[in-house]
Amino acid sequence: MRLSSSFIPSSLMVTAALLSPSCHGFLAPTSSSRLLPVVSSNLHAAAKKTTDDSSYERPLVLLTFDLDDTLYPIAPVIQDANTAFAKAMERYGYTGIQPSDIDAAAKQVRAEMDPEDAAALSHTEARQLAIRRTMEQVLLQRKLQETAEDWVTAVEDLSPVVVENAREWTTRAVSPSIVQAVLTAWEMERHHAAERYIYPEVKSVLKEIQEEHPGVIIGAVTDGKANPLLMTFTLAPYFDFCMSWEDDQKGRSQFFKDLASSNTAAQLTWI
C-alpha cells in the first residue's frame, strides 16, 4: 500500500485484525501507530508471512480508527459545536448565552456531584445537564428580576424563601424537549464541523485502503460522541461501523468509578 507521508495527524490509532487462512477466526491485533507512513509498513508486514518454502499474504479484514484528533482536529470542532449551542439557546428565547457557557455549566455540574458519579457521567449526559443548568440559570434571573420589580425592591433584598421558590419554579419550567433540541443542534454541528475540518488526505487514504484490500471492514472506535456514519459527505462512504464507549454505559461507569477511586492523577478530557 502506498500512503502519502504528508498526512501526519497528531495521533493515529489503527488496529488491524487478520484472518488466518488456516482457521476461521481473528489473529491478535497488530500494532498501533501515530504516523500514517508507519501504518503503511505495518500493514504490509502484518499481511505478509514468509516461510522457507512459500510466501503468502493474509487478507486484511478489519481496520479501526480513532476519530477526534486523528481524522480531524477536535478543538475547532468543539468550538463550532458550542457556537451552535449558543445560537440554539437564543432561538428558544435564552438570550445572552456564550459558547463557553456549556463547558462551564458541565464543569459545575460535575463538581457538585459525588466524585464517582461525576467520573462515570457520559459526555452526552453531561451536556444534557449542562444545557438544563444554563436554561435554569437564565429563567431564575428573569424570575427574580420580575419579582423584585413587582415588589419595588432589589433582587439581592429578596428573602431566601422567595429565591428558593423561584428556583423550584425554574426547575419545572425548563422543557425536556427543548433541552433535547438544543443538544441535537450541538451534536449536528459537531458532525458538520468534523467534515469541514477533516485532514486533507483522509478520504484519499481510506479510498486507497479499500481499493488495495477489497472486503476490508473499516470501523471507528471512540470514547466521544462522533460517528463517521453521520458524516455523509466525507467519512460515511468508507466506514462500516462505529463503536462508542457511550454505548456501554455499565462498563464505562464501572471503569471511571474504579479510576476515580484510584491514586492516579489521570486527566480526563471532556469531549
Side-chain angles (χ1 to χ4, degrees):
M1 187 186 341
R2 297 180 303 279
L3 303 181
S4 171
S5 61
S6 62
F7 172 51
I8 307 179
S10 59
S11 62
L12 177 59
M13 301 296 293
V14 178
T15 302
L18 303 175
L19 185 62
S20 170
S22 60
C23 65
H24 298 288
F26 289 108
L27 299 178
T30 64
S31 60
S32 298
S33 175
R34 286 180 175 272
L35 304 179
L36 200 57
V38 179
V39 172
S40 175
S41 61
N42 281 350
L43 292 182
H44 276 304
K48 187 173 183 179
K49 178 182 178 182
T50 302
T51 64
D52 293 338
D53 56 356
S54 66
S55 177
Y56 63 90
E57 290 191 3
R58 296 175 292 176
L60 178 67
V61 297
L62 177 64
L63 186 64
T64 63
F65 289 88
D66 179 39
L67 296 174
D68 300 339
D69 277 337
T70 297
L71 303 185
Y72 48 80
I74 190 58
V77 170
I78 295 298
Q79 183 176 356
D80 286 4
N82 288 352
T83 298
F85 148 77
K87 292 180 179 179
M89 292 284 283
E90 185 171 5
R91 287 197 301 272
Y92 287 104
Y94 296 90
T95 57
I97 301 299
Q98 300 300 315
S100 60
D101 288 348
I102 188 172
D103 290 340
K107 292 177 182 178
Q108 183 180 10
V109 167
R110 288 183 184 273
E112 295 173 358
M113 296 178 66
D114 176 84
E116 288 189 358
D117 292 336
L121 201 65
S122 74
H123 305 312
T124 298
E125 292 166 338
R127 290 191 184 96
Q128 286 177 322
L129 293 174
I131 291 169
R132 169 172 279 277
R133 172 65 63 87
T134 304
M135 291 179 175
E136 290 177 353
Q137 291 175 341
V138 171
L139 292 180
L140 178 61
Q141 292 304 314
R142 289 179 184 172
K143 187 67 173 178
L144 293 178
Q145 187 61 45
E146 291 172 358
T147 302
E149 291 176 357
D150 289 342
W151 290 9
V152 195
T153 188
V155 171
E156 55 268 23
D157 293 332
L158 294 174
S159 69
V161 174
V162 172
V163 174
E164 183 58 29
N165 286 338
R167 196 181 305 277
E168 293 178 359
W169 174 84
T170 59
T171 300
R172 298 191 301 270
V174 172
S175 168
S177 62
I178 295 181
V179 172
Q180 183 59 47
V182 173
L183 177 62
T184 298
W186 187 97
E187 292 181 344
M188 289 178 62
E189 182 56 29
R190 189 198 199 286
H191 288 91
H192 294 330
E195 294 199 277
R196 290 195 299 272
Y197 293 108
I198 191 170
Y199 291 123
E201 295 187 14
V202 167
K203 290 196 296 181
S204 61
V205 167
L206 291 171
K207 181 179 180 181
E208 187 171 350
I209 291 173
Q210 287 183 331
E211 291 175 348
E212 297 196 9
H213 299 275
V216 64
I217 297 173
I218 299 179
V221 179
T222 178
D223 66 345
K225 188 61 177 177
N227 187 339
L229 300 179
L230 299 179
M231 301 178 193
T232 309
F233 302 105
T234 52
L235 299 181
Y238 305 102
F239 279 79
D240 299 293
F241 70 90
C242 177
M243 294 181 62
S244 171
W245 206 349
E246 293 203 5
D247 298 332
D248 181 17
Q249 182 174 2
K250 182 178 180 181
R252 183 195 67 247
S253 299
Q254 187 59 48
F255 172 83
F256 279 109
K257 285 181 179 180
D258 292 343
L259 183 63
S261 62
S262 69
N263 294 324
T264 183
Q267 178 65 39
L268 304 179
T269 303
W270 186 66
I271 56 174

